[in-house]
Amino acid sequence: MFEKMPPYQRIGWLASVLLVGIVIYYYELRSGPLSAFWNSFVLALLCGCALAVLLMAGLEIAGLVREYRQGTLFPLRNVTFFVVCLSVVALPALAVYGLLGGQGLHESTYPLLPVFLWMFLRNLFLVKIDGVGLETKLGFRAPEYVPLFHITDVQQEEHRTTITTSAGKRIELLRVFFFPAIWARMQVRLKSLQERGEVG
């Protein structure tokens, strides 16, 4: 799976893991004070990893926005989306509360905010349909990719769409998990592929 990722995603994951490791070591496992040099080095590495994660998250957001505008990205409406959105809203709100004198976040939490953003982006449930394949991320597993020429049948119903592949795999997309406008756009996209003979 990892070798199939674009380079920016590999960098994002590696920087996230390294950032979490540095935070755990610096704030939890360290037994005594570090020398001025090592203290500066660790903090510089921590800031560099946080910046790298933020930059990779920016590239991910730009890619998602581009694909959505092109009409090839169809995000799902799911519990993960709302739970993580709540976290993205709640964490800054708690930070502001802390600045105003309340019980705020521990200083070790702030460097991890880019990791929370990265995890949010990498765990969005979505469907992508471009000119060569269908990619689905319908759970916490890695996305599944099917070339269009491996799709043998597409059954579009009012409340579900069932896609069958040449390997006999069935992919079911339920209307309830999509926003109405996105569901309608996806149905139009699949229908256009069928009319051109690119799928089933």
Side-chain angles (χ1 to χ4, degrees):
M1 177 194 77
F2 194 71
E3 64 273 7
K4 297 179 181 178
M5 288 183 182
Y8 79 92
Q9 289 184 7
R10 296 185 200 177
I11 294 171
W13 280 116
L14 289 173
S16 295
V17 171
L18 188 55
L19 180 57
V20 170
I22 294 171
V23 168
I24 291 173
Y25 168 75
Y26 191 77
Y27 291 101
E28 300 296 333
L29 302 180
R30 190 167 47 109
S31 57
L34 298 174
S35 67
F37 169 79
W38 284 111
N39 192 59
S40 299
F41 175 77
V42 170
L43 290 177
L45 187 59
L46 187 147
C47 292
C49 288
L51 181 59
V53 175
L54 278 176
L55 289 174
M56 299 309 108
L59 288 175
E60 183 75 9
I61 291 171
L64 292 172
V65 170
R66 184 182 66 251
E67 290 172 335
Y68 183 80
R69 288 180 174 172
Q70 291 173 346
T72 61
L73 173 68
F74 309 94
L76 277 72
R77 171 175 60 185
N78 56 66
V79 175
T80 304
F81 178 82
F82 291 112
V83 169
V84 180
C85 277
L86 178 62
S87 300
V88 170
V89 171
L91 286 172
L94 186 58
V96 171
Y97 174 69
L99 291 175
L100 296 177
Q103 182 64 37
L105 298 173
H106 187 270
E107 61 182 355
S108 64
T109 307
Y110 293 110
L112 295 177
L113 290 176
V115 178
F116 297 149
L117 174 61
W118 178 253
M119 293 300 295
F120 162 62
L121 294 171
R122 297 307 307 150
N123 284 288
L124 282 175
F125 295 178
L126 49 82
V127 175
K128 294 182 184 179
I129 309 171
D130 57 22
V132 294
L134 167 76
E135 181 179 329
T136 58
K137 181 168 176 55
L138 306 177
F140 294 105
R141 299 185 303 268
E144 294 187 51
Y145 181 81
V146 181
L148 292 182
F149 59 84
H150 283 176
I151 296 176
T152 57
D153 187 41
V154 178
Q155 294 291 330
Q156 292 178 290
E157 304 173 25
E158 184 179 356
H159 298 293
R160 78 173 63 217
T161 293
T162 304
I163 299 167
T164 307
T165 70
S166 57
K169 181 176 177 58
R170 291 164 58 90
I171 301 170
E172 289 200 355
L173 307 174
L174 302 178
R175 182 176 184 175
V176 68
F177 294 122
F178 292 84
F179 292 104
I182 292 175
W183 175 261
R185 285 198 310 119
M186 187 174 68
Q187 298 308 299
V188 170
R189 175 72 173 154
L190 285 168
K191 188 174 182 180
S192 69
L193 292 175
Q194 284 181 292
E195 290 173 348
R196 294 201 302 264
E198 296 183 47
V199 299

